[in-house]
Amino acid sequence: MQPDVSFVIAAYNAAATLDRAIVSAMAQRDVSVEIIVVDDQSRDNTLDVARAYPQDTVRVVALPANRGPGGARNAGLELASGRWVAVLDSDDAVLPGRLSAMIARAEKAGAVIAVDNLQVVREDGVAEATMFPAEYLEGLGEITLADYIAGNIVFESTFNLGYLKPIFQRRFLTENGLRYDENLSIGEDYILLANALAKGGKCVAEPTTGYIYHIRTGSISRVLELHHVEAMRKADAVFAETNSMDAAAAAAFARRARSLRKAASFLSLVQHIKARSPLKAIRTALSDPAAVRHMSMPIAVRLRRVAAQFAVGTGR
């Protein structure tokens, strides 16, 4: 029988946390699941951890070459057979009733995408507040393309919607040829959901908390560099060329574009300062005064804020 949900878990050097992710996927209530673990050329014993589970419970794919978070997830999506697909990061977990609640809300609304709230857990195991106030997601109800882009503007978004962990109706993804951008190691979640919304996908918000987001030091998603921002700008340019946007979405997109340009200028300025290249730093400052304004705070503090804006839980 076709499972209700296909969990896709991309894993890279995740031996310490993979069991937690798999066990939480297996514990889903009131839905049938298949679990696909894609090992992205890990250098630890991630593959052994995954293969310790019965093959009829956890399907394991070992990629012949490292493809990055988007590529590993795409490999899992190609094998998925469930009505819905849910991406689960290898260092995160889900609560038992998550998928049944999300699917019920989506199907009642005739939606092909659903999101929910996230519980943030620090590296020391202490649970912090949920990512979003419940009333905020309740008020959103349906998330439009304009809503989503406006929630992904650096330094300006009150709540960064890039953290959301959507589930998708698999048929919708297939019919629209939607997959992760393998050129992105940060922001691949954002661009996939943005493309899905631009293709007419209806997205509803389930305000309850079902995803457990674990903060991990060293994760790519928490170390933003200039090349990440430049890759995101290129992905956004492709998005604009291939999708139509209404006035509200276009306005939000323009604001996001400006925010990415400012982030690139700031990171370039910091890079020049760290490299002790004052002339290059001055040229960058003159070409984009907005970068200088970001220097009103200590560099380390601002860098952490930039990283937090883009952290999307890639688990890498």
Side-chain angles (χ1 to χ4, degrees):
M1 294 181 61
Q2 182 184 32
D4 294 315
V5 182
S6 295
F7 274 100
V8 174
I9 305 175
Y12 177 74
N13 293 344
T17 60
L18 184 57
D19 272 321
R20 178 176 65 201
I22 292 175
V23 170
S24 73
M26 293 170 58
Q28 290 301 293
R29 295 192 300 258
D30 303 320
V31 291
S32 57
V33 303
E34 68 173 355
I35 301 169
I36 302 169
V37 175
V38 182
D39 179 71
D40 197 18
Q41 280 285 300
S42 296
R43 290 173 291 179
D44 63 2
N45 65 326
T46 294
L47 204 53
D48 295 331
V49 172
R51 286 176 171 166
Y53 292 88
Q55 292 184 12
D56 60 348
T57 302
V58 179
R59 184 173 182 178
V60 182
V61 179
L63 295 181
N66 183 279
R67 288 175 56 180
R73 290 171 180 169
N74 285 341
L77 289 176
E78 292 301 322
L79 298 173
S81 63
R83 293 189 302 112
W84 292 83
V85 290
V87 169
L88 172 60
D89 289 343
S90 58
D91 52 355
D92 292 336
V94 287
L95 294 177
R98 182 191 189 226
L99 271 297
S100 60
M102 295 176 78
I103 292 173
R105 183 169 289 261
E107 292 182 342
K108 181 179 180 180
V112 296
I113 311 164
V115 297
D116 64 347
N117 213 338
L118 300 86
Q119 174 68 61
V120 180
V121 177
R122 297 191 329 220
E123 198 162 19
D124 60 6
V126 175
E128 297 186 339
T130 56
M131 187 75 71
F132 308 97
E135 59 271 18
Y136 172 70
L137 290 183
E138 188 76 65
L140 277 178
E142 179 180 344
I143 298 177
T144 67
L145 178 60
D147 293 330
Y148 188 60
I149 297 175
N152 281 275
I153 297 176
V154 186
F155 303 137
E156 297 178 34
S157 301
T158 303
F159 301 111
N160 190 329
L161 299 184
Y163 283 100
L164 292 171
K165 293 293 183 180
I167 65 169
F168 297 92
Q169 190 182 86
R170 186 175 62 86
R171 185 173 63 181
F172 177 80
L173 293 180
T174 301
E175 290 176 348
N176 288 280
L178 293 171
R179 290 294 184 266
Y180 286 94
D181 185 336
E182 300 190 20
N183 294 314
L184 295 173
S185 54
I186 290 182
E188 73 280 4
D189 294 301
Y190 163 79
I191 206 69
L192 176 64
L193 182 48
N195 274 302
L197 293 168
K199 300 296 184 187
K202 182 177 181 179
C203 176
V204 292
E206 165 58 48
T208 59
T209 302
Y211 194 97
I212 312 300
Y213 175 77
H214 289 264
I215 297 174
R216 181 166 61 88
T217 302
S219 170
I220 285 178
S221 66
R222 304 196 65 79
V223 184
L224 184 71
E225 297 179 0
L226 178 59
H227 68 92
H228 294 135
V229 177
E230 295 296 358
M232 293 164 72
R233 294 178 74 186
K234 289 179 181 178
D236 274 22
V238 173
F239 174 85
E241 291 174 359
T242 55
N243 294 292
S244 59
M245 292 179 273
D246 61 21
F253 184 85
R255 288 176 57 207
R256 174 177 161 82
R258 289 193 296 271
S259 74
L260 287 174
R261 177 182 58 77
K262 291 177 184 178
S265 295
F266 170 70
L267 290 173
S268 178
L269 179 58
V270 171
Q271 192 175 81
H272 294 324
I273 292 173
K274 287 184 174 181
R276 292 183 170 84
S277 301
L279 293 179
K280 291 182 178 178
I282 291 171
R283 282 197 293 270
T284 298
L286 291 175
S287 65
D288 190 352
V292 179
R293 289 197 293 272
H294 292 322
M295 302 303 291
S296 60
M297 297 179 66
I299 289 177
V301 174
R302 176 56 70 183
L303 283 173
R304 285 197 293 272
R305 290 198 175 187
V306 175
Q309 284 287 339
F310 286 101
V312 288
T314 61
R316 300 174 66 83

